[in-house]
Short mmCIF file of all heavy atoms in Angstrom, two decimals:
data_model
loop_
_atom_site.label_atom_id
_atom_site.label_comp_id
_atom_site.label_asym_id
_atom_site.label_seq_id
_atom_site.Cartn_x
_atom_site.Cartn_y
_atom_site.Cartn_z
N SER A 83 -15.30 -3.23 41.09
CA SER A 83 -14.93 -4.65 41.11
C SER A 83 -15.98 -5.48 40.38
O SER A 83 -15.65 -6.41 39.63
CB SER A 83 -14.76 -5.14 42.55
OG SER A 83 -16.00 -5.15 43.24
N ARG A 84 -17.25 -5.12 40.58
CA ARG A 84 -18.31 -5.83 39.85
C ARG A 84 -18.20 -5.57 38.36
O ARG A 84 -18.38 -6.49 37.54
CB ARG A 84 -19.69 -5.39 40.36
CG ARG A 84 -20.00 -5.83 41.79
CD ARG A 84 -21.46 -5.64 42.13
NE ARG A 84 -21.89 -4.25 42.00
CZ ARG A 84 -21.77 -3.35 42.96
NH1 ARG A 84 -21.22 -3.68 44.13
NH2 ARG A 84 -22.19 -2.11 42.79
N LEU A 85 -17.86 -4.34 37.99
CA LEU A 85 -17.73 -4.01 36.57
C LEU A 85 -16.60 -4.82 35.94
O LEU A 85 -16.70 -5.26 34.79
CB LEU A 85 -17.45 -2.50 36.42
CG LEU A 85 -17.42 -1.95 34.99
CD1 LEU A 85 -18.71 -2.26 34.25
CD2 LEU A 85 -17.19 -0.44 35.02
N GLY A 86 -15.53 -5.02 36.70
CA GLY A 86 -14.44 -5.85 36.20
C GLY A 86 -14.90 -7.27 35.88
O GLY A 86 -14.58 -7.83 34.83
N TRP A 87 -15.68 -7.86 36.81
CA TRP A 87 -16.23 -9.20 36.58
C TRP A 87 -17.20 -9.19 35.41
O TRP A 87 -17.22 -10.13 34.59
CB TRP A 87 -16.92 -9.72 37.82
CG TRP A 87 -15.98 -10.14 38.91
CD1 TRP A 87 -15.80 -9.56 40.14
CD2 TRP A 87 -15.07 -11.24 38.87
NE1 TRP A 87 -14.85 -10.22 40.86
CE2 TRP A 87 -14.38 -11.27 40.11
CE3 TRP A 87 -14.76 -12.22 37.91
CZ2 TRP A 87 -13.41 -12.23 40.40
CZ3 TRP A 87 -13.80 -13.17 38.21
CH2 TRP A 87 -13.13 -13.16 39.44
N TYR A 88 -18.03 -8.16 35.31
CA TYR A 88 -18.99 -8.08 34.21
C TYR A 88 -18.26 -8.08 32.86
O TYR A 88 -18.68 -8.75 31.91
CB TYR A 88 -19.82 -6.80 34.31
CG TYR A 88 -20.76 -6.74 35.50
CD1 TYR A 88 -21.38 -5.54 35.85
CD2 TYR A 88 -21.02 -7.86 36.28
CE1 TYR A 88 -22.24 -5.47 36.93
CE2 TYR A 88 -21.88 -7.80 37.37
CZ TYR A 88 -22.48 -6.59 37.70
OH TYR A 88 -23.33 -6.52 38.78
N LEU A 89 -17.18 -7.30 32.77
CA LEU A 89 -16.43 -7.21 31.51
C LEU A 89 -15.81 -8.56 31.14
O LEU A 89 -15.77 -8.93 29.96
CB LEU A 89 -15.34 -6.14 31.61
CG LEU A 89 -15.85 -4.70 31.73
CD1 LEU A 89 -14.69 -3.75 32.01
CD2 LEU A 89 -16.58 -4.26 30.46
N ILE A 90 -15.34 -9.27 32.14
CA ILE A 90 -14.73 -10.59 31.89
C ILE A 90 -15.77 -11.58 31.38
O ILE A 90 -15.60 -12.21 30.33
CB ILE A 90 -14.06 -11.13 33.17
CG1 ILE A 90 -12.84 -10.29 33.52
CG2 ILE A 90 -13.66 -12.60 32.98
CD1 ILE A 90 -12.23 -10.61 34.88
N PHE A 91 -16.87 -11.70 32.13
CA PHE A 91 -17.88 -12.70 31.76
C PHE A 91 -18.64 -12.31 30.48
O PHE A 91 -19.01 -13.19 29.69
CB PHE A 91 -18.86 -12.91 32.91
CG PHE A 91 -18.31 -13.75 34.02
CD1 PHE A 91 -17.92 -13.19 35.23
CD2 PHE A 91 -18.17 -15.13 33.86
CE1 PHE A 91 -17.39 -13.96 36.25
CE2 PHE A 91 -17.65 -15.92 34.88
CZ PHE A 91 -17.25 -15.33 36.08
N ALA A 92 -18.86 -11.01 30.27
CA ALA A 92 -19.58 -10.58 29.07
C ALA A 92 -18.76 -10.77 27.81
O ALA A 92 -19.31 -10.77 26.70
CB ALA A 92 -19.98 -9.11 29.21
N THR A 93 -17.45 -10.96 27.95
CA THR A 93 -16.60 -11.21 26.80
C THR A 93 -16.66 -12.66 26.35
O THR A 93 -16.42 -12.98 25.18
CB THR A 93 -15.13 -10.84 27.14
OG1 THR A 93 -15.09 -9.46 27.51
CG2 THR A 93 -14.21 -11.04 25.95
N LEU A 94 -16.99 -13.56 27.27
CA LEU A 94 -16.93 -15.00 26.99
C LEU A 94 -17.82 -15.45 25.83
O LEU A 94 -17.38 -16.30 25.02
CB LEU A 94 -17.27 -15.80 28.25
CG LEU A 94 -16.27 -15.64 29.41
CD1 LEU A 94 -16.72 -16.48 30.61
CD2 LEU A 94 -14.87 -16.04 28.97
N PRO A 95 -19.06 -14.96 25.68
CA PRO A 95 -19.87 -15.41 24.54
C PRO A 95 -19.20 -15.16 23.19
O PRO A 95 -19.22 -16.03 22.31
CB PRO A 95 -21.16 -14.60 24.68
CG PRO A 95 -21.27 -14.33 26.14
CD PRO A 95 -19.86 -14.11 26.60
N ALA A 96 -18.60 -13.99 23.02
CA ALA A 96 -17.93 -13.69 21.76
C ALA A 96 -16.73 -14.61 21.54
O ALA A 96 -16.46 -15.03 20.40
CB ALA A 96 -17.47 -12.22 21.74
N VAL A 97 -16.01 -14.94 22.62
CA VAL A 97 -14.86 -15.84 22.51
C VAL A 97 -15.32 -17.23 22.08
O VAL A 97 -14.76 -17.83 21.14
CB VAL A 97 -14.11 -15.93 23.85
CG1 VAL A 97 -13.02 -16.99 23.79
CG2 VAL A 97 -13.50 -14.58 24.22
N VAL A 98 -16.35 -17.75 22.74
CA VAL A 98 -16.84 -19.10 22.44
C VAL A 98 -17.37 -19.18 21.02
O VAL A 98 -17.00 -20.08 20.24
CB VAL A 98 -17.93 -19.51 23.45
CG1 VAL A 98 -18.56 -20.84 23.04
CG2 VAL A 98 -17.34 -19.62 24.85
N PHE A 99 -18.24 -18.25 20.65
CA PHE A 99 -18.82 -18.28 19.31
C PHE A 99 -17.78 -17.99 18.24
O PHE A 99 -17.83 -18.54 17.14
CB PHE A 99 -19.98 -17.30 19.22
CG PHE A 99 -21.22 -17.74 19.95
CD1 PHE A 99 -21.67 -17.07 21.07
CD2 PHE A 99 -21.94 -18.84 19.50
CE1 PHE A 99 -22.80 -17.48 21.75
CE2 PHE A 99 -23.08 -19.27 20.17
CZ PHE A 99 -23.51 -18.58 21.30
N GLY A 100 -16.83 -17.11 18.56
CA GLY A 100 -15.78 -16.80 17.60
C GLY A 100 -14.92 -18.01 17.29
O GLY A 100 -14.61 -18.28 16.12
N LEU A 101 -14.53 -18.75 18.31
CA LEU A 101 -13.72 -19.96 18.11
C LEU A 101 -14.52 -21.02 17.35
O LEU A 101 -13.97 -21.75 16.51
CB LEU A 101 -13.24 -20.50 19.45
CG LEU A 101 -12.22 -19.63 20.20
CD1 LEU A 101 -11.93 -20.22 21.58
CD2 LEU A 101 -10.93 -19.49 19.39
N ALA A 102 -15.82 -21.10 17.65
CA ALA A 102 -16.67 -22.08 16.97
C ALA A 102 -16.77 -21.76 15.48
O ALA A 102 -16.64 -22.66 14.62
CB ALA A 102 -18.06 -22.11 17.60
N LEU A 103 -17.00 -20.51 15.15
CA LEU A 103 -17.09 -20.11 13.74
C LEU A 103 -15.78 -20.34 13.01
O LEU A 103 -15.76 -20.79 11.86
CB LEU A 103 -17.50 -18.64 13.64
CG LEU A 103 -18.94 -18.29 14.03
CD1 LEU A 103 -19.16 -16.78 13.96
CD2 LEU A 103 -19.93 -18.99 13.11
N LYS A 104 -14.68 -20.02 13.70
CA LYS A 104 -13.36 -20.21 13.07
C LYS A 104 -13.08 -21.68 12.81
O LYS A 104 -12.55 -22.04 11.75
CB LYS A 104 -12.28 -19.61 13.97
CG LYS A 104 -10.90 -19.53 13.31
CD LYS A 104 -9.92 -18.79 14.20
CE LYS A 104 -8.56 -18.66 13.53
NZ LYS A 104 -8.61 -17.82 12.33
#
Side-chain angles (χ1 to χ4, degrees):
S83 68
R84 292 193 300 274
L85 186 56
W87 286 113
Y88 294 168
L89 293 172
I90 291 171
F91 283 106
T93 302
L94 296 180
V97 173
V98 173
F99 287 113
L101 292 175
L103 289 176
K104 190 174 182 65

